[in-house]
Every structure is written in C-alpha cells, then in structure tokens.
Amino acid sequence: MPITLTIPEGLLSPAAQAEAFAGLTEAVLEVSGLNGNAFMTSNVVGSINVLPKEHVLVAGKPAEAAFVELKLPEIALATPEAKRTFIEKATDVVERAAAGRLRREHIWSNIVYAPDGAWGIAGRSYDNNDLIGVITGSAV
C-alpha cells in the first residue's frame, strides 16, 4: 500500500523523514487493524519526495508544506471514520516530525483507491477477494 510523502528540502532531516515514514506506516496498519499482519506489513511501501523549496507551493507561492498520499485497494479504510482517523494520524505524524517548522494547516493528505482487480504486487494482479484471502491467511 504505497505511501508518498512530499516535502520541501530542508523541512525534515533524514532522521525525521525516516521517523515520519515509520509513523505513517504504523498509522495505516493500526487504522486498518492489521498490525503484525505479515502480508500487509511487508506491502506498506512508498517514497519520500524531497523537492526544491520553490517546487512546493501553497496558493501558488513557495511554502513550507507537506503532502501525504496513500494508495489503497477499494476494500481498505472503507469507512468514513477509518479515512478520518488515518488522515488525522498522518497529520499528527508529519507535524511531530517537523518539530514546529510546519503549520498543521500546511499538511494535506489524500487517499486514492485502485479499482477492483487493479492492485498488483510482484507482477500479480489481485482483486478484492484475492487480497482479503491473502491478508486473512497472514493473520497473526
């Protein structure tokens, strides 16, 4: 389940970037109720995009800001409450990692869903039922 954290250069130290990504990973697993699930844990992946300061914009102007994007199959975080909880936790994680260098109002999150059957891992396409089966089979 790819997570993309986009930030301007200089906002987070390498250690803070690692802390933020670990926290985002923990948040998605916790909100999904899948802490310790071997399949899910190994498939929470992603990237940290560190852009030149002039390439991170708010209202069309360079700003200290952070963007969290979580890509998921349709079956994940399916309730409005789960979505709200992940977004709140993701914002908390990034705000904490920034240690006062970033206003909460400049942290944006979004969740993007892949349609049924459009999820691929290691060259294999999974539909929602396949994912449920492999996740359930990996339960702790």
Side-chain angles (χ1 to χ4, degrees):
M1 312 308 136
I3 300 168
T4 303
L5 173 61
T6 303
I7 55 173
E9 60 191 357
L11 179 65
L12 301 180
S13 69
Q17 290 175 34
E19 172 190 325
F21 201 86
L24 293 170
T25 298
E26 182 180 310
V28 73
L29 290 170
E30 180 183 322
V31 175
S32 298
L34 293 169
N35 279 332
N37 182 282
F39 178 81
M40 281 300 300
T41 299
S42 66
N43 285 294
V44 177
V45 299
S47 60
I48 301 172
N49 298 328
V50 180
L51 301 178
K53 287 182 178 241
E54 64 273 12
H55 291 187
V56 177
L57 310 168
V58 174
K61 297 179 180 161
E64 296 291 316
F67 314 116
V68 176
E69 182 173 272
L70 175 62
K71 293 182 182 126
L72 297 169
E74 294 175 328
I75 57 171
L77 302 184
T79 67
E81 180 59 30
K83 291 174 186 67
R84 278 192 296 273
T85 301
F86 173 77
I87 289 170
E88 184 176 306
K89 286 181 178 291
T91 301
D92 292 344
V93 163
V94 174
E95 184 179 38
R96 189 171 41 254
R101 292 182 308 281
L102 181 62
R103 293 186 2 227
R104 189 172 183 86
E105 295 79 25
H106 283 183
I107 303 170
W108 285 268
S109 302
N110 69 328
I111 300 170
V112 178
Y113 287 97
D116 190 17
W119 201 259
I121 300 171
R124 177 180 173 194
S125 174
Y126 288 84
D127 66 22
N128 292 338
N129 288 329
D130 293 336
L131 283 168
I132 291 168
V134 73
I135 291 167
T136 303
S138 296
V140 179

